[in-house]
Amino acid sequence: MKKPEHQDEIISLIDDYLSRLFFLCRSITGNQNRQTLKILQEVIPLTIVEVPTGTKSYDWTVPQEWNIQDAYISNKFGKKIVEFSKNNLHVVSYSTPVNSTLSWAELKPHLHYHPVLADAIPYRTSYYQKNWGFCLTQNQYALLQKDGGPFRVVIDSTLHDGSLTFGELLLPGRSKQEILLSCYICHPSMANDSLSGVLLCAFLARSLMKTKDRYYSYRIVFVPETIGAIVYCAKNEKAMKSIDTGLVITTVGGPGKFGYKKSYESNHCINRLIEEVFFEKKTNFITYPFDIHGSDERQYSSLGFRINTGTITRDKYYEYAQYHSSLDDLAFVNASHIYEALTIYKELINKLDSRKIYKSTNFNCEVMLSKHGLYPTTGGAQNPTFNGRSELDIILWILFLSDGRKSVDDISLEIGVDSCVITALSEKLSLKGALQIV
Ligand code: ZN
């Protein structure tokens, strides 16, 4: 494939993939998820992994695989009123097969319409409760109600012992320490949630592959939300438990304001770095506090893993009217919006990858400074030099805070001393053997 140099070429590529991937009927399992990952293999060399039905993953079990060919509701004259072939959101995801003639009273409990947006088809799922249903516009619901039935109801779907499919790409860096980038591939025809995130993640990975001399290693995963992230954690437990920082990438393609959801530790460096990028790019943004509702940060930040996982968004899930409906479409999302978000993510990765982190070589009590020639030979008053602090004072704080997780910039922020000063003193401490670079 030709390597585009220009932003216009990348936007046009993202646009092509948006229209190719939008119409696939993805779910938490199934052939259309495989197809999605195969198409993404044109962008990055994803490894596709299949996890069989019945596989236990902590408190969860991989469900049966779901596929669907067709579905419709027609009236007594054979006129189709609701058709899956026109929009895959018309069928509740994971609907069991149906082929029956039903009265209005029998059909009604299986119908869902959007409570606010009259023209929208809502997105509904029933993964773990065996059920079936149709989603329709308020107008279609009124038509069925007026018609009164009986109705021919067909859902040509299958549930069988198959597998759950996910994609992963591991990009090694100079350090074995990994950064997690994750997106979810389980949503059918909606563009902002989650296709925009899937494409951003793929193009971010593509750009990382071209970055020479990466410091961190990157673990990039494309999983169905919740069950996929849980299965992924279970299958890669050791690696996932050693990750400190991650990003869940979703809802980045709308026309609205940028925002970011904080990771579970509010003062973690990922949050500060995201804000720095917004400030430097003079981009207004909304800050959303960490919340247990949301996406796969819930799994990645759970007690056993505790990965600080942030999310930069543009029209964040829950926050836009078209959310989880057919109006989250290619009129709402476009490739230029995704590209703009991609530049923010790329800048964040640049910052993350280039920050310096030191770790004290003496975790048990303090370093004997005089032994290393770091203590002033004559005791007494220390003259304040940096922002009201003496060099000795700053050295003590650096040694106190260099836990192998806090970067030079974190320490600078925490004690209110310029990061150049912290960098210079950390290098000095490193030469004396009191710190080592992580
Ligand atoms: Zn969603």
Side-chain angles (χ1 to χ4, degrees), residues 156-170:
D156 181 9
S157 65
T158 53
L159 279 159
H160 74 282
D161 286 353
S163 56
L164 174 150
T165 315
F166 68 77
E168 71 173 343
L169 175 65
L170 304 175

Side-chain angles (χ1 to χ4, degrees), residues 212-412:
K212 288 199 179 83
D213 203 27
R214 291 180 298 264
Y215 178 70
Y216 288 108
S217 296
Y218 290 84
R219 182 174 288 266
I220 304 158
V221 304
F222 295 73
V223 289
E225 203 172 20
T226 309
I227 181 70
I230 292 168
V231 165
Y232 191 86
C233 285
K235 276 187 81 71
N236 299 278
E237 188 180 280
K238 191 162 173 262
M240 292 295 280
K241 277 184 188 268
S242 61
I243 297 179
D244 174 73
T245 307
L247 293 163
V248 166
I249 305 174
T250 180
T251 49
V252 286
K257 217 170 162 183
F258 277 102
Y260 91 101
K261 179 182 170 182
K262 287 192 167 203
S263 73
Y264 80 97
E265 286 178 303
S266 180
N267 61 353
H268 188 269
C269 75
I270 187 70
N271 302 315
R272 184 176 50 70
L273 290 177
I274 292 172
E275 292 198 7
E276 256 180 47
V277 173
F278 281 136
F279 284 129
E280 285 170 14
K281 289 196 167 281
K282 298 185 170 50
T283 303
N284 288 328
F285 64 96
I286 306 164
T287 305
Y288 301 98
F290 180 78
D291 173 20
I292 48 163
H293 301 285
S295 185
D296 289 327
E297 62 277 11
R298 237 178 20 248
Q299 317 311 331
Y300 302 140
S301 308
S302 64
L303 290 166
F305 294 93
R306 284 297 195 232
I307 302 171
N308 266 283
T309 315
T311 299
I312 298 171
T313 59
R314 191 165 180 183
D315 283 306
K316 182 182 170 289
Y317 52 83
Y318 306 152
E319 303 287 326
Y320 59 104
Q322 302 89 330
Y323 169 70
H324 275 190
S325 86
S326 57
L327 298 183
D328 181 352
D329 60 10
L330 296 177
F332 181 62
V333 166
N334 69 47
S336 300
H337 297 154
I338 297 176
Y339 181 82
E340 282 170 29
L342 176 65
T343 61
I344 301 271
Y345 268 96
K346 275 164 78 169
E347 191 52 41
L348 173 67
I349 296 289
N350 273 344
K351 275 188 180 288
L352 201 59
D353 209 72
S354 57
R355 81 202 159 126
K356 280 206 165 126
I357 300 176
Y358 290 90
K359 187 176 179 180
S360 170
T361 51
N362 288 263
F363 261 48
N364 299 327
C365 305
E366 67 181 11
V367 174
M368 187 180 180
L369 293 175
S370 57
K371 198 171 98 184
H372 300 281
L374 289 164
Y375 198 79
T377 45
T378 311
Q382 294 293 316
N383 293 327
T385 50
F386 304 106
N387 208 11
R389 290 182 187 277
S390 69
E391 184 177 292
L392 178 61
D393 185 43
I394 298 167
I395 284 176
L396 288 171
W397 274 111
I398 292 172
L399 290 170
F400 187 75
L401 294 170
S402 293
D403 58 0
R405 288 180 77 201
K406 285 193 165 79
S407 70
V408 163
D409 291 331
D410 294 325
I411 294 172
S412 154

Side-chain angles (χ1 to χ4, degrees), residues 123 184 187 193 225 323-324:
Y123 167 52
Y184 50 93
H187 285 42
D193 181 22
E225 203 172 20
Y323 169 70
H324 275 190

Side-chain angles (χ1 to χ4, degrees), residues 19-244:
S19 38
R20 281 174 69 192
L21 292 167
F22 179 76
F23 296 99
L24 295 180
C25 184
R26 284 167 291 270
S27 182
I28 53 171
T29 62
N31 287 327
Q32 305 273 287
N33 286 25
R34 282 183 198 101
Q35 184 61 20
T36 297
L37 294 172
K38 274 189 194 138
I39 291 173
L40 292 174
Q41 278 179 329
E42 296 168 16
V43 184
I44 44 170
L46 271 183
T47 301
I48 298 177
V49 180
E50 300 284 350
V51 186
T53 297
T55 305
K56 298 261 183 240
S57 300
Y58 307 126
D59 205 28
W60 295 64
T61 306
V62 174
Q64 285 197 309
E65 181 178 325
W66 182 72
N67 286 291
I68 180 163
Q69 309 305 319
D70 193 19
Y72 61 87
I73 303 172
S74 60
N75 67 11
K76 52 188 168 288
F77 306 109
K79 184 178 164 28
K80 287 182 179 171
I81 297 170
V82 183
E83 290 175 83
F84 172 80
S85 59
K86 289 196 173 158
N87 194 315
N88 60 37
L89 291 175
H90 274 313
V91 173
V92 171
S93 188
Y94 258 70
S95 280
T96 50
V98 183
N99 190 343
S100 192
T101 301
L102 301 177
S103 68
W104 168 244
E106 288 167 318
L107 177 61
K108 196 178 156 187
H110 294 278
L111 301 181
H112 308 268
Y113 56 84
H114 199 288
V116 181
L117 303 172
D119 296 332
I121 306 161
Y123 167 52
R124 296 286 181 270
T125 65
S126 188
Y127 300 137
Y128 302 105
Q129 196 76 43
K130 282 212 164 148
N131 203 346
W132 61 268
F134 281 87
C135 305
L136 58 181
T137 64
Q138 290 180 8
N139 188 34
Q140 285 172 317
Y141 184 88
L143 271 175
L144 291 173
Q145 189 171 29
K146 194 175 165 205
D147 184 290
F151 301 101
R152 181 99 197 112
V153 180
V154 173
I155 297 180
D156 181 9
S157 65
T158 53
L159 279 159
H160 74 282
D161 286 353
S163 56
L164 174 150
T165 315
F166 68 77
E168 71 173 343
L169 175 65
L170 304 175
L171 298 178
R174 278 182 285 132
S175 166
K176 284 203 170 73
Q177 179 67 54
E178 294 178 348
I179 303 284
L180 173 70
L181 305 177
S182 176
C183 64
Y184 50 93
I185 55 160
C186 52
H187 285 42
S189 291
M190 283 167 290
N192 197 33
D193 181 22
S194 65
L195 185 53
S196 66
V198 172
L199 283 173
L200 191 147
C201 195
F203 278 83
L204 183 60
R206 183 176 183 269
S207 141
L208 266 168
M209 286 179 65
K210 292 181 183 172
T211 308
K212 288 199 179 83
D213 203 27
R214 291 180 298 264
Y215 178 70
Y216 288 108
S217 296
Y218 290 84
R219 182 174 288 266
I220 304 158
V221 304
F222 295 73
V223 289
E225 203 172 20
T226 309
I227 181 70
I230 292 168
V231 165
Y232 191 86
C233 285
K235 276 187 81 71
N236 299 278
E237 188 180 280
K238 191 162 173 262
M240 292 295 280
K241 277 184 188 268
S242 61
I243 297 179
D244 174 73

